[in-house]
C-alpha cells in the first residue's frame, strides 16, 4: 500500500518500480527459444512427438537445472544447454519422477553444469546440449574420442 502523504508523482514512480520488479522476465530470450525449437525439430526431445505452436499448452520449455523461485541469476540458466522442448505428457513425467529424470539427464542438480551432463533424447540417444543450441558427442572441452598414446 502506497503512503498517501507522498506527492502523486513520487507515488507513481514507486508504483512503476514495484510493477517492473514484479514483472521481471526470468525466462529465455526469443533467440534462445528459437535455437531450442530448431535443435529439437519442433518435436518433443524425449518422445519425438511433433508439438504445436502454443507454448504452455502444446509444449513446454523445461529447465533441466530448475530456475528456483523467482528465477536464477546463474548465467547458464536460460541457455539452450539447460533447456529441453517437451510435450506436456513428457514434462509431467519428468516432474513426477524426478529420480528417474535425473538419471536420464532431464534434470540436473543445482550444483551441476547442464552442458556437462549427458541427456537421453529421442528415446535412445545420449548426447550433450551446447550453449549454442546444438547436440554434441562430448561435453565442452573434451573430444568425443580421446587419442590413444
Amino acid at each position: 500500500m502506497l503512503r498517501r502523504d507522498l506527492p502523486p508523482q513520487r507515488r507513481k514512480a514507486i508504483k512503476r518500480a514495484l510493477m517492473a520488479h514484479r514483472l521481471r522476465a526470468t525466462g529465455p530470450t526469443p533467440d534462445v527459444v528459437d535455437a531450442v525449437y530448431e535443435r529439437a525439430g519442433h518435436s518433443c526431445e524425449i518422445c519425438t512427438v511433433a508439438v504445436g505452436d502454443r507454448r504452455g499448452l502444446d509444449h513446454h520449455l523445461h529447465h533441466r537445472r530448475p530456475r528456483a523461485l523467482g528465477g536464477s541469476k546463474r548465467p547458464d540458466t536460460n541457455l539452450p544447454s539447460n533447456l529441453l522442448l517437451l510435450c506436456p505428457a513428457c514434462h509431467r513425467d519428468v516432474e513426477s519422477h524426478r529420480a528417474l529424470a535425473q538419471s536420464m539427464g532431464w534434470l540436473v542438480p543445482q550444483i551441476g553444469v547442464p552442458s556437462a551432463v549427458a541427456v537421453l533424447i529421442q528415446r535412445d540417444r545420449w548426447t550433450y546440449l551446447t550453449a549454442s543450441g546444438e547436440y554434441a558427442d562430448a561435453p565442452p572441452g573434451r573430444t568425443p574420442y580421446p587419442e590413444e598414446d
Side-chain angles (χ1 to χ4, degrees):
M1 183 89 165
L2 293 176
R3 294 178 39 183
R4 297 286 175 201
D5 60 338
L6 293 174
Q9 291 173 329
R10 180 75 177 134
R11 285 198 313 257
K12 285 181 183 177
I14 291 171
K15 189 173 183 178
R16 274 194 308 272
L18 290 172
M19 290 303 291
H21 176 72
R22 193 177 315 161
L23 300 176
R24 180 176 63 98
T26 62
T29 65
D31 290 339
V32 169
V33 172
D34 290 344
V36 173
Y37 289 164
E38 280 295 314
R39 177 186 72 206
H42 298 273
S43 298
C44 176
E45 292 186 273
I46 294 177
C47 73
T48 71
V49 68
V51 296
D53 59 352
R54 297 176 302 170
R55 186 170 163 189
L57 295 174
D58 297 331
H59 67 278
H60 300 165
L61 281 177
H62 167 69
H63 285 82
R64 297 173 61 208
R65 188 187 62 226
R67 289 188 294 179
L69 295 175
S72 173
K73 295 194 184 326
R74 292 176 67 173
D76 60 349
T77 296
N78 289 310
L79 290 180
S81 57
N82 192 40
L83 298 170
L84 285 172
L85 180 63
L86 301 180
C87 67
C90 285
H91 195 216
R92 185 174 45 252
D93 288 346
V94 166
E95 295 296 341
S96 298
H97 307 285
R98 296 181 75 80
L100 175 66
Q102 192 166 339
S103 71
M104 300 297 178
W106 303 328
L107 281 176
V108 175
Q110 284 295 330
I111 61 170
V113 177
S115 61
V117 177
V119 60
L120 181 67
I121 61 165
Q122 302 167 357
R123 298 186 181 155
D124 63 353
R125 178 179 171 203
W126 285 95
T127 189
Y128 293 88
L129 307 180
T130 68
S132 61
E134 299 168 345
Y135 297 123
D137 292 331
R142 292 194 180 157
T143 57
Y145 306 104
E147 294 181 23
E148 294 183 20
D149 293 330

